[in-house]
Amino acid sequence: MELENAAVLATNRFASLYIEDMESVKDFFQYNIKEETIYRQRYGDLMEREFAREEIAECIDHYMKKFPSSAATQHSLKKFRDNRSVVVIGGQQAGLLTGPLYTIHKIISIIKLAEQQEKELEQPVVPIFWIAGEDHDHLEINHIFAPKKENFKKKNYHEAFSGKMMASHIVFDKEKMQAWTSQIFSYFGDRSHTKEMLTVVDEAISNTRTFTEFFSYLIMYFFKDYGLLLIDSADPKLRQLEKPFFSRVIHDRQMITDAVLSQQRKKQSRGFSNAIEIDDYAANLFYYHENERELLEFDPIEKVFVSKTNELRFTDLELFELLESYPERFSNNVVTRPLMQEWLFPTLAFIAGPGEIAYWGELLPAFQAMESQMPPIVPRLNITLLDKTTDRNLADLNLSIDKVLEKGTAEDRNRFLASIKDGGFESLIKDTKEELSDHYQKIIAKVGEIDRGHVQLAETSLALQIRQLEFLQRKVEDSMTKKHSSQLDKYVCVEKMLRPNGQPQERIWNIFYYLNEYGTKFIDGLLNLPYEFDGRHKIIRI
């Protein structure tokens, strides 16, 4: 594998500025990641605080016992218990078969930045992946995009689940899951590592029950030797540790909401759109009731917390009592999850995707209101995998990979199609249609003088003649296209690999396509590359 950099901007303007021109948005964040001393400064800030390290380590250890482990994993747990240690953390939903490639890119980012900063700071740095097991958006995680000849087909895992059930509570049918994964691999094709990968997936299905466990098993199978630790945000043991902070969230609900709204107004005044949906009555808290995750708001007139459906109603006292007895029923929203994460972990850096950068930019006053600090927000590595066939096709077509990553191949393909058309033939067809129309207008006029009842017949005859000419034109053009089909197929293949469905590769492709082709050593190859966290797009030649 070889690594090179490309200038491809993030998918939203705010994140692009954060990466390219930090000065213009730095007052939305606590730390300026462009400063060389940023991690030493952050480390010093963290060493002045205390964390429930032992309790969190036990929670992580208990959760991870169900999944593949290694000496490196145990060493990371030991490091985390050390009061000198800090963490690099990031998270994602528990997508089936690990979800889109960007989840893998985020994990690689967490591991590599932790490695680099451990050497730089000469202090223990632990990589932690936060699984959004409390998330209830099944549509985000219940599918994979399977490659077809020219594009991709969304392949959903079909099994009925409660509307707002947390991912960590979704228990799947093992036979149905095995059938679904086998179907997905049939789209990937039978390759030299297919049997091996299907064995890994079947093993994961056999040893897990829920969407989140299935995800965790696969992640640890491939990343256990790199010291990665996992934590499930829906873990009941974690909820017990989070009770004090949830109590503060309930008590300070309005202060948190007002802080976010003020930052959003500031952001809008700079010409940016808001990333977080929030109103004056937001409580920034979910309550889990009968397998439904209900977002709470505060009614200032009746002084009660209410669900969106108005079915749940709690006073402050009732909510505090429920928190004490049933903490597992409470969960964070997009505002309070970062606040909770900062309270729990000595976070040296948070690894963020473009969308996350946009919403973290609305949270600084909320951190300050809670007497906390926003950690340094480090853009995750944006990676495009470039296989040898696609690389050759780019060269044959004389295409710039930077341009393809940004715009796809449609413009160049259309230009090529125009170049292979026979201009003389097109002109001849055009002239013939015009002459035919001229002559027919005279015929139609004469028919109208003789018998107006036959004018429509004459017009139909003209339309038929025009259609016949157009049919002939299409057939000739099809023939010419077939002559150049191998060249045109290259455009299709390049776009399919690098800009599938008009989107970045990382949003459509899945890691198992590559593991099916190259085996488990593919992960090792990715992790052995010398990444720099400089905001530039990474192209990896396989």
Side-chain angles (χ1 to χ4, degrees), residues 15 20 70 74 126-127 154 266 271 392 428 440 452 485 522 525:
E20 297 291 317
S70 69
Q74 295 307 309
V126 182
K154 190 175 184 179
K266 176 181 175 181
R392 281 196 302 269
L428 189 58
Y440 257 89
R452 292 202 56 81
S485 60
F522 185 74

Side-chain angles (χ1 to χ4, degrees), residues 162-374:
S162 173
K164 293 183 181 178
M165 183 183 288
M166 294 193 292
S168 291
H169 290 181
I170 297 177
V171 178
F172 58 83
D173 182 284
K174 293 180 185 291
E175 289 186 7
K176 288 181 180 178
M177 187 64 79
Q178 283 177 327
W180 180 81
T181 55
S182 294
Q183 183 187 38
I184 296 300
F185 271 82
S186 72
Y187 284 95
F188 293 157
D190 191 7
R191 301 290 187 267
S192 54
H193 295 279
T194 301
K195 186 176 180 180
E196 174 194 0
M197 288 303 107
L198 278 172
T199 299
V200 171
V201 171
D202 287 347
E203 179 184 303
I205 292 170
S206 297
N207 286 284
T208 59
R209 297 172 57 253
T210 69
F211 272 28
T212 303
E213 289 177 356
F214 183 32
F215 173 90
S216 298
Y217 194 101
L218 292 174
I219 293 300
M220 289 313 299
Y221 184 89
F222 295 113
F223 292 98
K224 64 182 182 297
D225 294 328
Y226 295 91
L228 182 70
L229 299 183
L230 302 182
I231 191 160
D232 176 10
S233 64
D235 189 340
K237 287 185 175 295
L238 182 63
R239 285 287 181 267
Q240 288 289 339
L241 301 179
E242 292 176 335
K243 280 199 300 186
F245 198 81
F246 273 123
S247 182
R248 286 189 64 191
V249 169
I250 295 168
H251 183 270
D252 296 330
R253 62 188 176 273
Q254 197 60 54
M255 185 172 64
I256 294 170
T257 294
D258 290 345
V260 175
L261 289 170
S262 70
Q263 186 78 330
Q264 287 190 329
R265 288 191 292 270
K266 176 181 175 181
K267 199 174 170 204
Q268 283 182 309
S269 72
R270 302 276 193 88
F272 301 107
S273 58
N274 292 335
I276 297 173
E277 290 185 20
I278 186 172
D279 59 34
D280 293 335
Y281 309 110
N284 303 300
L285 196 65
F286 282 94
Y287 185 79
Y288 205 51
H289 177 68
E290 296 180 350
N291 285 329
E292 293 282 322
R293 192 165 174 250
E294 301 284 356
L295 184 63
L296 300 181
E297 292 185 341
F298 188 75
D299 185 332
I301 298 174
E302 297 190 31
K303 307 290 186 188
V304 293
F305 290 85
V306 297
S307 63
K308 288 279 189 181
T309 60
N310 212 31
E311 292 179 10
L312 303 178
R313 302 176 70 82
F314 309 110
T315 64
D316 285 53
L317 181 59
E318 287 171 335
L319 211 55
F320 283 126
E321 289 175 348
L322 286 167
L323 175 62
E324 186 60 35
S325 301
Y326 308 104
E328 68 278 3
R329 296 181 185 178
F330 291 76
S331 59
N332 296 292
N333 78 338
V334 67
V335 171
T336 52
R337 183 197 55 75
L339 297 172
M340 179 71 80
Q341 187 177 280
E342 173 66 12
W343 180 75
L344 285 169
F345 291 97
T347 304
L348 182 69
F350 177 78
I351 298 293
E356 289 170 306
I357 292 172
Y359 77 69
W360 276 77
E362 297 170 14
L363 298 179
L364 180 58
F367 277 92
Q368 294 167 338
M370 298 294 280
E371 300 176 331
S372 184
Q373 291 179 319
M374 179 189 289

Side-chain angles (χ1 to χ4, degrees), residues 50-69:
E50 293 185 1
F51 299 90
R53 294 174 181 274
E54 186 60 40
E55 293 87 346
I56 295 171
E58 287 181 11
C59 178
I60 293 173
D61 189 27
H62 180 268
Y63 177 70
M64 293 182 64
K65 283 189 183 302
K66 295 169 279 190
F67 314 120
S69 186

